[in-house]
Amino acid sequence: MSLTSLALNRTSTVVPDREVVPPRHHLLTVSVEDYYHVGAFNRLIQNRQWYRFERRVEIGTHRTLALLDAFGLKATFFVLGWVAEQLPELVREIAAHGHEIASKGFYHRNIRQMTPAEFREDLARAREALERASGRRVLGYRVADLWFTPPDLWALDLLAEEGYAYDSSVGPLLRAYAAEPWRRFAHRHRSGDRDLWEFPISAVSLFGLHLPIAGGNYFRQIPQGIMRRAVARWDRTCDAPYVMYFHTWELDPDQPKINAAPLHARIRHYRNLRDMPRILEYYFERYPFASIAEYLQLDTTGTGIAASAPTPRPAPAIAVTDPPVPDVRRADRIPISIAVPCYNEELILPYLSNTLRSVEAALSREYDVHFIFVDDSSTDGTWDALNELFGSRPNCTLVRHPQNMGVAAGILTAIRSARTEIVCSIDCDCTYDPHELARMIPLLDDGVDLVTASPYHPKGAVRNVPRWRLAMSRSLSRLYRRVLHQKLWTYTSCFRVYRRAAFLGLELERRGFLGVAEMLGRLDLAGAGIVEYPTTLDVRMLGRSKMKVLRTIVGHLTLLATLLRVRLSARARGERAAVPRESSEVAS
């Protein structure tokens, strides 16, 4: 049955040049996305980083399916195409429960991030992934981030051209559609000779403003008494269906916390997550709900694309997008070690594991990679998590300090434990992209003992790092440039490539964050070769930094005074401040 005939077969409430169909049910919609996809974190997390995060979308989705089964409800599931491509069996499971599969685009982007051509391409890519995964026709769309405002309505015409039956992206919030109040309700959008139904998120009118009552974040932020009365009033007084939505991640209160997000974004995302099942149950017990396809009597069978066959998936800690490690003979690759100092990093280790899996795949084209994890006497579950994730892997060595000694001591422990002449060190939180080692390692040429990453280099960059931290770091770098021989832009980075022999005899007075600068300073005063590599520093996504700001500033000033005395003393003797070297046997 066509949408036009459907509308004519029902009693309609007429608004200016638009028809609104009265409900047989209210409309229940679910957004299928993971905690790191959401718009609140878009400034921090790029889609190229998604593979690094612990995957939890299955947890929220399975809880959603169980909750809807308990109430005998069917819903429209707006699914990211990326999720369908990575987890086709999850999309197939949703469809098997009798729910409608609709599109939320491929990546989590808003309409203002795309040109019409890019929007059309995104629609096609998402629809292909969803239909292939589910074996069902995809006829509905909802924008992933930021509701449609009046300047965005060109997208409705394009959706109609692409054969979509309906959209649910209009957000009649505040005074966005004050000149077109009928857009608050379900209506038919005409585009040439095509029709497209629009199901806006539900909002009530108060003092000339449209205020959202649709669900999701609004359910968790607005007092429940107010929301319940508003929904009850809609049910009594509005002919149009109430359009409700929530996200699958809202049923996963134990998800990792993105602490780098601004306070308002964290409140928006995490507040009252544990209350969400109870909130939803209240409405499910009192109101009839259906999917949009059921409401419009749409036939979603028969896509012409066979559902993809089930394929085994790796454990959640392993990135599903990793390229395979190439079949290169081990003897043809250069042996390297990658040191990873860890202290109370239990929560971030799945993120690290996913990242290193991809790094190993990329580096293994040229290098035989061995990882050395140094647990600096953590007080949480870091050691157990390291053993679980890496303990059984033949190219991983785990070392544990009997007491906390600091990040620099951890790096030195790894260097001394390594059996390769090339040793790299990375931050456990991956604030520098470890894939950049592919460009840094070749810089460790003859006469070079250290390659150090530099975000403050003119060709480097920083992303989302607080301004006060940038100002502090750049001020310290200026002081180090006045004391040391080599005029670098960054002296404090832990992201480095070392020539092992140059560090075996090095003894540090400072073993924490200050020791990282001391390592470079003493090497510089000894006349060693140091190369700076410009790269990007990102903010720490998960967990919190261990650095104590005031203590670190005082410590750097004390270290600068020590290095200055060493340099002046060496100058008085007419020599370099030598760093002793030891010979070592390195596995080839």
Side-chain angles (χ1 to χ4, degrees):
M1 181 181 293
S2 70
L3 295 179
T4 303
S5 60
L6 176 64
L8 294 176
N9 287 336
R10 296 182 183 173
T11 304
S12 300
T13 301
V14 179
V15 294
D17 198 30
R18 292 292 185 272
E19 294 176 356
V20 178
V21 180
R24 292 178 298 176
H25 294 85
H26 296 306
L27 303 181
L28 180 59
T29 65
V30 181
S31 291
V32 181
E33 58 190 40
D34 224 328
Y35 63 97
Y36 50 86
H37 293 151
V38 301
F41 303 145
N42 273 352
R43 285 185 60 253
L44 295 172
I45 303 171
Q46 300 174 337
N47 56 45
R48 62 180 175 79
Q49 297 171 308
W50 285 356
Y51 77 92
R52 298 184 180 188
F53 290 84
E54 178 187 1
R55 193 182 70 204
R56 297 180 64 90
V57 65
E58 299 102 321
I59 295 173
T61 301
H62 288 146
R63 289 175 181 171
T64 299
L65 292 175
L67 182 61
L68 297 185
D69 284 349
F71 286 90
L73 297 177
K74 302 303 179 187
T76 295
F77 281 67
F78 290 101
V79 186
L80 286 180
W82 187 90
V83 171
E85 189 173 87
Q86 299 297 318
L87 296 167
E89 69 277 11
L90 183 65
V91 178
R92 202 156 41 247
E93 184 178 358
I94 296 170
H97 277 253
H99 302 292
E100 179 195 4
I101 302 298
S103 174
K104 209 176 182 190
F106 193 84
Y107 289 119
H108 202 283
R109 294 190 287 177
N110 65 64
I111 195 69
R112 279 144 254 172
Q113 293 175 309
M114 295 179 278
T115 65
E118 290 170 336
F119 181 52
R120 194 186 300 271
E121 180 181 354
D122 188 76
L123 285 176
R125 185 179 181 188
R127 177 182 252 172
E128 195 277 337
L130 291 164
E131 292 188 344
R132 183 173 298 280
S134 67
R136 305 283 183 87
R137 297 170 67 205
V138 170
L139 298 174
Y141 176 81
R142 172 175 286 164
V143 70
D145 183 33
L146 302 181
W147 304 108
F148 286 175
T149 59
D152 306 319
L153 295 184
W154 58 265
L156 299 183
D157 295 331
L158 198 150
L159 285 163
E161 291 175 17
E162 292 298 311
Y164 282 83
Y166 70 87
D167 173 72
S168 183
S169 303
V170 166
L173 307 181
L174 301 180
R175 293 190 58 79
Y177 292 95
E180 300 173 304
W182 47 269
R183 287 200 184 272
R184 281 178 52 206
F185 308 103
H187 59 272
R188 193 168 55 181
H189 175 84
R190 296 192 179 98
S191 176
D193 59 351
R194 295 178 180 270
D195 287 332
L196 178 83
W197 279 94
E198 175 59 45
F199 293 94
I201 64 162
S202 295
V204 296
S205 182
L206 182 66
F207 302 122
L209 299 177
H210 297 153
L211 305 178
I213 59 167
N217 179 52
Y218 308 114
F219 276 167
R220 293 184 290 108
Q221 306 299 339
I222 300 174
Q224 286 305 300
I226 295 175
M227 288 293 287
R228 290 173 180 179
R229 287 193 294 272
V231 175
R233 181 179 179 184
W234 180 293
D235 183 60
R236 291 194 310 269
T237 63
C238 293
D239 289 337
Y242 167 64
V243 180
M244 178 177 173
Y245 78 92
F246 64 95
H247 308 84
T248 54
W249 55 259
E250 290 181 287
L251 295 182
D252 180 20
D254 298 318
Q255 63 193 260
K257 301 297 188 291
I258 311 297
N259 289 317
L263 177 61
H264 68 86
R266 282 181 277 130
I267 292 174
R268 172 184 170 187
H269 188 86
Y270 298 116
R271 185 170 182 266
N272 292 330
L273 283 182
R274 295 196 181 278
D275 294 336
M276 198 61 179
R278 177 181 56 81
I279 292 171
L280 295 175
E281 288 168 1
Y282 174 88
Y283 295 98
F284 293 170
E285 288 171 349
R286 287 163 174 78
Y287 301 105
F289 287 99
S291 70
I292 298 177
E294 182 181 356
Y295 179 80
L296 291 177
Q297 299 180 11
L298 299 176
D299 181 8
T300 60
T301 60
T303 67
I305 301 178
S308 55
T311 55
R313 292 278 160 183
I318 298 175
V320 297
T321 54
D322 291 340
V325 176
D327 184 16
V328 180
R329 289 189 308 145
R330 186 171 181 176
D332 294 336
R333 293 181 280 164
I334 301 170
I336 66 169
S337 299
I338 298 179
V340 189
C342 307
Y343 177 67
N344 289 351
E345 300 286 8
E346 179 184 7
L347 295 178
I348 208 170
L349 289 179
Y351 179 91
L352 172 70
S353 177
N354 288 342
T355 306
L356 293 187
R357 182 73 61 157
S358 177
V359 168
E360 181 181 358
L363 291 180
S364 291
R365 297 177 177 89
E366 301 288 339
Y367 303 101
D368 183 17
V369 182
H370 190 92
F371 296 100
I372 303 173
F373 299 90
V374 181
D375 177 18
D376 195 23
S377 193
S378 296
T379 58
D380 64 356
T382 294
W383 180 247
D384 291 338
L386 285 171
N387 278 278
E388 180 180 350
L389 291 168
F390 305 106
S392 62
R393 293 173 56 179
N395 68 332
C396 293
T397 297
L398 275 60
V399 182
R400 192 177 195 188
H401 284 165
Q403 61 185 27
N404 183 258
M405 302 170 68
V407 62
I411 293 172
L412 281 180
T413 294
I415 289 174
R416 291 163 182 163
S417 302
R419 295 185 56 79
T420 63
E421 181 63 2
I422 299 174
V423 182
C424 314
S425 67
I426 68 171
D427 297 275
C428 189
D429 55 16
C430 299
T431 50
Y432 296 97
D433 185 355
H435 292 85
E436 291 293 298
L437 289 174
R439 297 181 179 87
M440 293 174 65
I441 296 170
L443 300 179
L444 196 73
D445 208 344
D446 292 341
V448 177
D449 293 311
L450 176 67
V451 179
T452 184
S454 175
Y456 306 124
H457 188 282
K459 294 183 180 179
V462 293
R463 292 185 67 249
N464 303 306
V465 176
R467 291 184 178 180
W468 65 264
R469 181 178 169 185
L470 297 180
M472 182 184 77
S473 298
R474 286 173 172 149
S475 297
L476 288 171
S477 292
R478 283 193 290 269
L479 293 175
Y480 278 107
R481 279 199 295 273
R482 296 181 68 87
V483 171
L484 299 177
H485 296 297
Q486 300 198 52
K487 309 308 178 186
L488 306 179
W489 294 91
T490 305
Y491 294 83
T492 55
S493 168
C494 294
F495 188 35
R496 293 173 174 173
V497 180
Y498 307 85
R499 190 176 302 280
R500 181 173 181 264
F503 290 87
L504 287 176
L506 182 64
E507 296 295 335
L508 298 176
E509 297 178 7
R510 300 156 180 85
R511 294 187 172 186
F513 290 103
L514 293 171
V516 175
E518 185 184 0
M519 291 170 69
L520 190 150
R522 292 192 179 278
L523 205 67
D524 172 274
L525 294 178
I530 301 174
V531 171
E532 192 169 32
Y533 174 78
T535 190
T536 298
L537 171 65
D538 222 323
V539 70
R540 181 185 176 103
M541 299 290 182
L542 302 166
R544 297 189 183 278
S545 172
K546 314 298 189 302
M547 184 176 68
K548 307 299 182 184
V549 177
L550 292 179
R551 185 186 303 173
T552 299
I553 292 173
V554 173
H556 276 293
L557 295 176
T558 304
L559 174 60
L560 282 162
T562 300
L563 294 174
L564 180 59
R565 285 197 302 270
V566 172
R567 179 174 181 178
L568 293 177
S569 176
R571 179 185 295 175
R573 297 192 305 268
E575 59 186 25
R576 294 280 190 179
V579 173
R581 294 194 183 209
E582 295 181 5
S583 61
S584 62
E585 293 184 3
V586 178
S588 60

